[in-house]
Each structure stands twice: as C-alpha cells, then as structure tokens.
C-alpha cells in the first residue's frame, strides 16, 4: 500500500505526521509527503520514502490556488498512490481539488473545522460550510480528531454520517518518559527566579498570540517576576514582536521559533496557556496535561473533551486579554490550594500500633483508598516517643484521612451500603449473611431499613469482615435489564412477566428498568435464562420511541390521522404516551414495521421542521431587530417561521428539506449574532491586583501572601511549599 500525505500548515499537524508516518512505516506502508514552506524540515526526508516541498500561500486568488493544485496533481500522477491523505482545512481543499478524477481513495482530516472560527462572520462561515459540503462528495472518508468535531460535521450536514470516523490524536508517552528534560533557562535567557507563563502553538491568528501578549501586559502589574514564553513560529511573528516592543515587554518575552522538543520548554512553565479561537483537538493542551502543568485554555472545539473546567484546568469562553489574565490568576491561586502538601501527626500507643499492623495494615490501606491521602506508620519496634503516624495530602484529602484515622483510634467504624429491595431480600435470606450470626461473630451492630440501606457499626476489623461476607454473595441474585418499551408496558400493567422456576423469585422492580431474580444459586442460574427469554419477547412486542415535545404534533398529524394511518397499515397499536414517547405494541413483525414507519415520519418531520429555544432576552432583541426580515427570508428560502413568544420558541417549517436547513441556518446565525452582542455588553470587568502600597489592598492578607511568594527567590517547588505554610506564618 502507498499513501501520499499532503499538508499546508505546520504546528500540531506537523507533530501529528511525525508520530503517524513512522508507525505506518513499521506496518510496511510506503509513504510520500507533500508539505508547504511552513514545515520545519529536519526529520521528514528520512521518514518518508519520497518527499516534496511546495510553496503554499493561504489566498483566495484563483491563479495562486490553481498553481498549487497543478503542482499537487502532477505529484499524484507520478506517485500513483492507493490513498491520498489530506490534512487541515485549506490543504484539504487544495488536495481534494487536485485529486479529482484520479483512481486513488481520498481521506481528509480537517484537524479542526474552519467554520468553527467564532471570529468569522456568518458570510464566511456559510462559504466554509458550502466548500466542505461540495468537496465531501469527492471524499471517501473524513477523519475527525474529537467527538465534538464529528458532531459539528453532522450538525452542519457536511456529509453522510457513514463517511465520518473519530480517531483522536495521541501523544508519544514513551518518548516523553524516556526524554531527560534539559534546563533551558540559562541558554534561553530565562531568569532563574522567573514565574514562567507559556504557550505552545503556531503564531497565527487562530492561536491568538496578540491576546497572549496583551494578557502578559496586564499580568506584569500583578506578578512582579512574570516571564512569558511562546514556543512556535508563524506568519504573525513580526506583528507579535512589534506588539511586544510597543508594550515595553521586550525583557520579559521569549519567542523560540520551531524547536525539536517542546517538553524542554513546557517543563519550565509554571502556568501553560492556549488561547486558540478554534481547535479540533488541541495537541498543546494534551502535552500540558502529560507534563502535569496547570493550564488555562479557551472553551472551543475538542478541548472540553479532555479538560474539565475547574478539575484539571480552567476554561474561558471569552477570548480577550482581561478574561485570560483573570483566569491565569485564578489558576495560580488554585495551584496553591491543589498542590499544597500539609501534614497531620498522631502519637499512638503500642496497642494501637499493633492493631494498625494486623492483617497487612488493612485499615491503613482502606483509609488511603477512601481519602487519596498518604498514611505512613512508624516502625513496629518504635519507642514511646517515635510512635508517630504521619498523614499527608491536599487539604480536602487530609481532612478525610484524619477523620477516618481518628475514628479508628476511637475504635468505632460505620459503613452504610444501599441495595435494591430484591437484592437486600436475597442477602437477608442468605445463610452467610444472617444478621444475628454476623453480629455475634464480628461484634458488630447490623441494621436495615425499608429503603434498602444496611448499616454496619463496630470495630474496624469486624466491620470490614462483615462487609466482605456481604459482597461475596453474587450468586444469590441476578439482574436482567428491561428495554424502555418493556419497562413501560410492565409499569402500566399492559402485560405481566410470568416466569416459573422452582426455588427462585422473579420481581420486576417498580420504577426501575430491571427484573431481579433471587433465590438459591442453582435456582437463580436457571431463572436468569428463563427471564432473559421472557424479557426478549416483551422487548419485541413493546417498543418505546422517544419524541421531542416540539415534534409530537407533526408525528400525530391532524386529529391523529398519521398515527391512525400507521396503525391501520402495519397492524400494530401506535399511541402517544405522557412521557413524550410513542409506544408501538403488537406482534413482533407488525411492531417492527410500525417502528420503521414512525421513525421514517420522524426523520421527514425533522428534515422539514425545526424548533429553536433562544434565551428570552435574545429572542426579544432578535424580534426588535429582524422581525421585518422574516417574511423576506420565508420568500427567499421557501417556508414558514412562527414565533411563539410566550413559550420562547421559534418554529421553522420548510417547503423542502433544503429550504428548512437554509431557514434554520440564517435564523440561528442571527440569534447567535444577537447573543454574542449581548455577551459583550455583560462581559465582566477584570481588575488586576493592585501594586504594593495601594490603600485598597494594603491591609489585604491575601495580597500580602501573594506578594511574598511571587517575589521569592526560591525555586518553583519551594515557592509552592512556602505558600502552603504562609497562613501559619502570618
């Protein structure tokens, strides 16, 4: 097999190819690379079997585009690949134009859809979408690097779903672990005591390097020892360098250009930032996380797939320097809380130490598992003064571990487990879970209630042993899941589940989508098989199809005509349930036919109709601005737009599927424009921390702490530790 790769842009795409090409080579795939002047060509000539470099300029000039298309097509005619793999939006467009009429299969990876650019106007977005739709017809498979990117392709009707496949980007973790990071501070001119805030990415408009520089200008007033690093290069470099000089930040900035190993620089970061305007996956974010760096990123594209706001990073919705600066400050404060190591110590008796060491320190293992803290025991031979148990961890985890340890020292533990009523019944009927016997054997107090709760109280080891017995009885009960249709039919008494099996009890739990089987081990095994068969028969006879509230009217038809028509034609009962769903029941063949008819009706309805639910304030402004244009849009696209102000709904009905999509797109664009305008007006105003001596913060303890750490000459780890103890020192 022979693959020709073509890419116009460098950066993340370049690193993607650096990982992909060697691995395909190992599988015996012959590879050819066509790239632009934006690639830093050090390794590729030795990786690929053939290598071509052409000049590609991002321009809509017909003659410039034609020149590149002709150059790529000439290479394709010479190489005759089996697969032509196009990377990035612009490169993908040029490559697919060049491949038209050729025998090779065409694969396209946008690495982030161009129409996701929030800065682009509705006209540009429309053009990008149109181009992607047209070229998708000449594409055999489209690779998306995140589930978000795939969903965007579906929402914008780029292509048939069957052409889409999600293959998330990866990182060379082994290479990272084997790499010994070098100290680049001296050779790059980074001060030893600097608090480094950095970004990795191409210096292009999409990565917002100008916003990063303006953010830096705000942060230098707050962080006296701040230093900023931009790892990458691009067409915006000259503009960025001019802006740095304009804001008098020349002695606080480093632009590295392309580097061989970004991790050498990331390891020096104290805070990692990515202010991208649109993103398919975000290579840089994944690299930040691999390096365990606190990060701030924009909430765009596939980034929310790997970054959970407030958990493993901070996400910002607004791409402006004030919001970014505020988020960096918040992340630094979060860094102080999250990575803080605090300690608690307990002096224990010889008897307590012996109890802790019983059964391979099981109590300590359990405390660490529950709290995620570290518990260190003294030596078994420790004397009276050295029997100190040390507990360490973050503040929240330490509090949990300390409470559990205190409970252990006091000798009383309590566990509560919740089971379904059927499972609890099986446990209580089990000889091994006999309450009285367990209570006597392990000196525990065991109690139950009607809600399925089992509480076990007593000495730690007794509680642990009791719990072990309780969880070792899986053969006493089983569970068979119900389909939505079967569960609804049983709950509404339309049918009954009848399974006869001696020694077992079969119970459909009210309000649950399961049937529980309890009894002896052998009886449960046989009953489960019979129950699964019975449930499968119910599932074939009762099918529940969920329907959006706004589409119910279209599904039912005028005076229920559509529902009655399907019922009569298919020979099955079709009815609308109170939970916004359609229940289809009858013999399996009739049910299958009726379900297909209902789903087809839903599909047609969804193609011709849409319901939008904008915020009330957005709808109000939209009507005040665009109400007079609604009739014009209806005439242009063909359809009807109905505004339900009391409910806050915009109903769209198209004469054809195409007109419905057109109407929906133009109205969604206008609503989005109104919403963005409203957000600009309500944008929070960020006020950086004032410099020392300001009367408003002169007595603010938090500022004193902050000032102390940022002006410290200690290394990063020591600075963090010192922060942890500041509240005790001041």
């Amino acid at each position: 097999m022979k693959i020709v790769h073509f890419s116009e842009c460098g950066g993340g795409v370049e690193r993607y190819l650096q990982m992909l090409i060697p691995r395909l080579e190992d599988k015996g795939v012959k590879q050819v690379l066509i790239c632009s002047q934006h690639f830093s060509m050090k390794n590729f000539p030795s990786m690929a079997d053939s290598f071509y470099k052409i000049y590609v300029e991002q321009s809509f000039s017909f003659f410039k585009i034609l020149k590149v298309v002709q150059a790529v097509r000439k290479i394709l005619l010479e190489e005759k690949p089996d697969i032509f793999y196009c990377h990035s939006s612009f490169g993908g467009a040029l490559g697919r134009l060049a491949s038209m009429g050729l025998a090779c299969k065409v694969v396209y990876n946008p690495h982030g859809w161009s129409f996701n650019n929030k800065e682009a106007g509705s006209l540009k977005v429309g053009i990008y979408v149109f181009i992607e739709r047209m070229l998708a017809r000449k594409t055999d498979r489209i690779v998306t690097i995140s589930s978000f990117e795939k969903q965007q392709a579906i929402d914008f009707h780029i292509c048939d779903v069957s052409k889409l496949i999600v293959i998330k980007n990866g990182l060379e973790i082994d290479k990272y672990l084997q790499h010994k990071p070098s100290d680049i501070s001296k050779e790059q001119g980074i001060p030893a005591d600097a608090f480094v805030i950095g970004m990795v990415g191409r210096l292009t408009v999409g990565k917002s390097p100008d916003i990063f520089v303006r953010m830096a200008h705000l942060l230098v007033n707050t962080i006296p020892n701040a230093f900023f690093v931009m790892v990458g290069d691009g067409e915006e470099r000259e503009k960025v360098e001019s802006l740095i000089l304009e804001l008098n930040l020349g002695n606080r900035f480093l632009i590295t250009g392309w580097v061989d190993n970004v991790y050498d620089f990331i390891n020096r970061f104290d805070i990692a930032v990515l202010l991208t305007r649109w993103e398919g996956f975000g290579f840089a974010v994944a690299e930040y996380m691999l390096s365990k760096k606190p990060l701030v990123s924009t909430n765009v594209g596939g980034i929310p797939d790997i970054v959970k706001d407030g958990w493993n990073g901070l996400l910002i919705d607004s791409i402006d320097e004030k919001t970014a600066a505020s988020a960096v400050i918040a992340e630094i404060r979060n860094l102080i809380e999250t990575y803080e190591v605090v300690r608690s110590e307990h002096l224990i008796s010889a008897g307590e130490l012996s109890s802790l060491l019983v059964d391979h320190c099981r109590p300590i293992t359990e405390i660490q598992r529950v709290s995620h803290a570290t518990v260190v025991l003294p030596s078994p031979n420790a004397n009276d003064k050295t029997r100190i148990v040390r507990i360490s961890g973050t503040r929240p985890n330490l509090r949990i571990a300390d409470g559990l340890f205190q409970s252990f020292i006091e000798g009383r533990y309590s566990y509560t487990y919740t089971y379904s009523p059927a499972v609890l019944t099986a446990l209580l009927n089990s000889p091994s879970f006999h309450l009285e016997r367990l209570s006597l054997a392990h000196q525990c107090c065991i109690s139950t209630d009607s809600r399925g709760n089992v509480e076990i109280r007593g000495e730690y080891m007794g509680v642990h042993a009791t719990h072990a017995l309780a969880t070792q009885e899986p053969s006493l009960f089983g569970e068979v899941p119900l389909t939505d249709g079967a569960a609804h039919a049983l709950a509404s008494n339309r049918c009954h589940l009848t399974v006869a099996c001696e020694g077992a009890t079969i119970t459909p739990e009210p309000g649950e989508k399961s049937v529980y089987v309890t009894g002896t081990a052998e009886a449960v095994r046989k009953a489960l098989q019979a129950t699964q068969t019975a449930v499968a028969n119910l599932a074939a006879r009762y099918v529940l199809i969920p329907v959006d509230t706004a589409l119910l009217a279209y599904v039912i038809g005028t005076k229920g005509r559509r529902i009655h028509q399907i019922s009569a034609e298919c020979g099955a009962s079709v009815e609308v349930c109170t939970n916004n769903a359609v229940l289809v029941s009858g013999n399996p063949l009739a049910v299958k036919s009726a379900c297909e008819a209902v789903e087809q009706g839903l599909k047609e309805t969804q193609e011709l109709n849409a319901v939008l639910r904008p915020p009330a304030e957005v709808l109000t402004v939209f009507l005040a601005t665009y109400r007079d244009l609604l009739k014009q849009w209806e005439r242009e696209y063909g359809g009807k737009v109905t505004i339900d102000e009391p409910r806050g709904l915009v109903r769209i009905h198209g004469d054809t599927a195409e007109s419905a999509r057109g109407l929906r797109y133009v109205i969604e664009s206008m609503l989005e424009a109104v919403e963005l305008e409203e957000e600009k007006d309500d944008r929070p105003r960020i006020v950086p921390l004032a410099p020392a001596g300001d009367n408003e913060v002169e007595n603010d303890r938090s500022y004193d702490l902050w000032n102390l750490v940022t002006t410290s000459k200690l290394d990063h780890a020591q600075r963090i530790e010192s922060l942890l103890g500041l509240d005790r020192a001041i």
Side-chain angles (χ1 to χ4, degrees):
M1 181 185 289
K2 186 182 202 178
I3 299 177
V4 171
H5 300 274
F6 173 56
S7 176
E8 171 269 333
C9 64
V13 178
E14 183 176 348
R15 280 177 281 162
Y16 175 87
L17 289 170
Q18 284 177 344
M19 291 187 292
L20 178 64
I21 290 175
R23 282 154 179 78
L24 291 177
E25 191 76 23
D26 293 341
K27 297 182 181 297
V29 179
K30 189 176 182 180
Q31 295 176 95
V32 178
L33 175 62
I34 310 171
C35 67
S36 72
Q37 72 280 6
H38 299 302
F39 275 55
S40 59
M41 302 315 304
K42 292 184 179 180
N43 302 316
F44 285 111
S46 60
M47 289 183 184
D49 296 278
S50 300
F51 170 74
Y52 301 88
K53 190 172 183 178
I54 60 177
Y55 183 83
V56 183
E57 181 183 349
Q58 282 204 1
S59 170
F60 286 100
S61 167
F62 174 77
F63 296 102
K64 291 180 179 179
I65 290 174
L66 182 62
K67 186 177 180 180
V68 176
V69 169
Q70 287 176 333
V72 174
R73 188 174 181 86
K74 183 180 178 181
I75 296 171
L76 292 175
L77 290 170
E78 291 178 0
E79 295 291 344
K80 296 181 173 58
D82 299 294
I83 297 174
F84 182 39
Y85 194 175
C86 303
H87 303 267
S88 75
S89 297
F90 192 68
L94 298 177
R96 286 180 289 176
L97 286 172
S99 67
M100 286 186 178
L102 302 183
C104 58
K105 298 290 186 181
V106 179
V107 179
Y108 167 51
N109 189 336
H111 295 276
W113 295 112
S114 56
F115 52 75
N116 280 331
N117 181 5
K118 294 183 178 180
E119 303 296 314
S122 57
L123 179 61
K124 275 190 176 180
V125 169
I127 293 172
Y128 293 153
V129 170
F130 176 78
I131 292 172
E132 291 288 358
R133 287 175 181 172
M134 293 299 103
L135 293 176
R137 299 176 182 178
K138 304 296 181 182
T139 310
D140 295 283
R141 185 60 65 93
I142 297 178
V143 178
T144 60
I145 55 180
S146 67
S147 54
F148 170 83
E149 200 172 330
K150 179 181 179 179
Q151 189 58 49
Q152 287 293 95
I154 295 171
D155 293 344
F156 282 89
H157 307 286
I158 300 301
C159 64
D160 189 84
V161 177
S162 60
K163 286 189 178 184
L164 297 169
I165 182 173
V166 178
I167 304 177
K168 295 183 179 181
N169 286 344
L171 295 178
E172 295 181 291
I173 297 177
D174 292 341
K175 184 178 178 181
Y176 169 78
L177 295 174
Q178 294 168 5
H179 176 71
K180 295 182 179 179
S182 59
D183 186 5
I184 46 87
S185 294
K186 288 185 179 180
E187 62 185 71
Q188 298 293 339
I190 303 174
D193 65 335
F195 189 93
V196 181
I197 301 168
M199 66 165 279
V200 176
R202 288 178 294 127
L203 302 187
T204 62
V205 174
K207 302 295 183 181
S208 310
D210 57 322
I211 301 297
F212 183 85
V213 176
R214 296 186 188 280
M215 174 200 73
H217 184 243
L218 295 179
L219 288 175
V220 294
N221 297 323
T222 304
I223 310 172
N225 59 338
F227 193 89
F228 304 90
V229 177
M230 305 175 80
V231 182
D233 210 337
E235 60 268 22
E236 293 291 304
R237 179 164 182 168
E238 289 187 8
K239 294 181 181 179
V240 170
E241 289 175 338
S242 298
L243 182 60
I244 291 171
L245 295 176
E246 180 186 330
L247 298 176
N248 198 27
L249 296 172
N251 61 340
R252 291 177 176 266
F253 249 94
L254 168 66
I255 299 178
T256 67
W258 300 117
V259 299
D260 291 332
N261 197 312
V262 297
Y263 293 112
D264 288 338
F265 291 88
I266 293 175
N267 285 327
R268 185 61 183 87
F269 291 177
D270 290 285
I271 296 287
V273 178
L274 186 68
L275 304 176
T276 182
R277 287 183 164 91
W278 66 93
E279 195 73 59
F281 176 79
F283 248 122
V285 171
E287 289 166 337
Y288 298 161
M289 297 176 73
L290 181 60
S291 304
K292 299 179 181 180
K293 294 296 176 180
L295 65 93
V296 173
S297 176
T298 42
N299 188 14
V300 297
I303 292 176
D305 287 352
I306 56 175
V307 179
K308 304 304 177 186
D309 187 33
W311 178 251
N312 56 357
L314 289 184
L315 298 178
I316 58 175
D317 296 317
S318 181
I319 308 176
D320 65 271
E321 58 270 25
K322 291 183 179 180
T323 304
S326 176
V328 169
I329 293 172
E331 183 68 319
I332 295 173
R333 294 192 181 281
N334 183 54
L335 178 71
I336 296 168
E337 293 292 327
T338 304
Y339 293 92
E340 179 180 23
V341 178
V342 291
R343 297 185 182 276
S344 176
E345 294 184 345
H346 295 273
L347 182 63
I348 61 174
S349 67
E352 290 168 338
L353 178 59
S354 298
S355 298
L356 287 169
L357 296 173
V358 170
D359 198 15
H360 306 288
C361 303
R362 190 189 296 171
I364 298 304
T365 303
E366 188 71 7
I367 291 172
Q368 293 184 131
R369 184 189 67 79
V370 172
S371 65
H372 301 288
T374 301
V375 182
V376 181
L377 296 177
S379 168
N381 301 321
N383 58 39
D384 291 343
K385 294 182 179 180
T386 58
R387 286 195 295 270
I388 296 174
V389 179
R390 291 181 170 86
I391 307 174
S392 63
T394 63
R395 279 181 178 168
N397 295 344
L398 180 76
R399 284 196 293 269
I400 297 171
D402 197 47
L404 289 174
F405 189 81
Q406 291 284 8
S407 297
F408 176 80
I409 296 299
E410 294 171 3
R412 308 297 295 178
Y413 263 70
S414 175
Y415 282 140
T416 301
Y417 308 99
T418 302
Y419 304 97
S420 73
V423 172
L424 179 58
T425 301
L427 286 173
L428 295 178
N429 292 331
S430 166
S432 45
F433 198 80
H434 192 274
L435 295 185
E436 187 176 348
R437 188 177 65 83
L438 284 175
S439 299
L440 291 173
H442 302 293
Q443 298 180 345
C444 292
C445 178
I446 306 174
S447 60
T448 63
D449 60 28
S450 58
R451 292 174 294 182
N453 297 321
V454 178
E455 186 183 21
I456 309 170
R457 292 178 287 110
E459 300 289 338
Y460 180 88
M461 296 308 299
V463 171
H464 193 91
T466 304
H467 171 58
L469 282 173
T471 55
Q472 286 173 1
E473 297 294 336
S475 61
L476 297 174
F477 59 91
E479 181 179 356
V480 179
L482 291 167
T483 62
D484 291 339
H488 180 82
L490 288 170
S492 59
N493 293 320
R494 296 172 184 271
C495 64
H496 299 280
L497 186 68
T498 305
V499 181
C501 191
E502 187 177 351
T505 303
I506 296 126
T507 312
E509 286 295 312
E512 295 188 22
K513 294 182 181 179
S514 295
V515 177
Y516 292 103
V517 182
T518 61
T520 64
E522 183 62 23
V524 167
R525 186 183 64 79
K526 294 179 180 179
L528 279 174
Q529 296 177 354
T531 304
Q532 288 167 351
T533 302
V535 168
N537 291 332
L538 284 179
R541 297 182 66 85
Y542 298 90
V543 177
L544 202 67
I545 304 174
V547 181
D548 187 271
T549 307
L551 299 179
L552 272 176
Y554 301 111
V555 175
I556 297 170
T558 306
K559 297 182 179 179
R561 289 174 185 171
R562 185 172 296 177
I563 289 287
H564 293 312
Q565 182 183 357
I566 295 173
S567 299
E569 290 178 354
C570 301
S573 173
V574 184
E575 57 186 298
V576 176
C577 306
T578 55
N579 55 348
N580 296 336
V582 174
L583 178 68
V584 183
S585 60
N587 69 71
L589 291 177
V591 167
K592 182 180 180 182
S593 176
C595 286
E596 291 175 352
V598 171
E599 288 171 351
Q600 180 62 30
L602 280 173
K603 182 180 178 182
E604 293 173 357
T605 300
Q606 289 173 328
E607 289 178 349
L608 296 176
N609 301 276
V611 179
L612 308 179
R613 299 176 177 84
E617 61 275 11
V618 172
L619 181 59
T620 301
V621 177
F622 170 80
L623 291 175
T625 310
Y626 301 108
R627 188 188 290 270
D628 295 339
L629 293 174
L630 290 177
K631 295 295 181 185
Q632 180 181 337
W633 292 338
E634 289 175 349
R635 289 192 299 271
E636 289 179 358
Y637 290 94
K640 180 70 176 177
V641 180
T642 306
I643 309 297
D644 189 346
E645 286 191 73
R647 298 182 181 178
L649 302 178
V650 180
R651 302 183 187 273
I652 301 167
H653 176 74
D655 297 335
T656 64
E658 191 66 31
S659 65
R661 285 195 292 269
L663 269 175
R664 177 171 183 170
Y665 175 73
V666 70
I667 292 175
E668 281 182 337
S669 300
M670 297 301 103
L671 286 169
E672 184 178 356
V674 170
E675 189 169 7
L676 289 174
E677 206 55 42
E678 290 293 298
E679 287 178 355
K680 288 180 183 178
D681 295 339
D682 297 331
R683 184 179 301 164
R685 302 299 186 258
I686 308 301
V687 182
L689 292 176
D694 192 300
N695 292 330
E696 292 183 6
V697 297
E698 192 172 20
N699 298 320
D700 184 19
R701 179 166 165 265
S702 64
Y703 177 76
D704 292 336
L705 299 178
W706 182 252
N707 190 51
L708 179 60
V709 70
T710 55
T711 56
S712 171
K713 301 297 183 182
L714 303 173
D715 66 82
H716 182 62
Q718 291 174 318
R719 278 184 280 147
I720 295 299
E721 286 190 4
S722 67
L723 278 169
L724 301 180
L726 286 179
D727 57 346
R728 296 187 291 273
I730 297 179

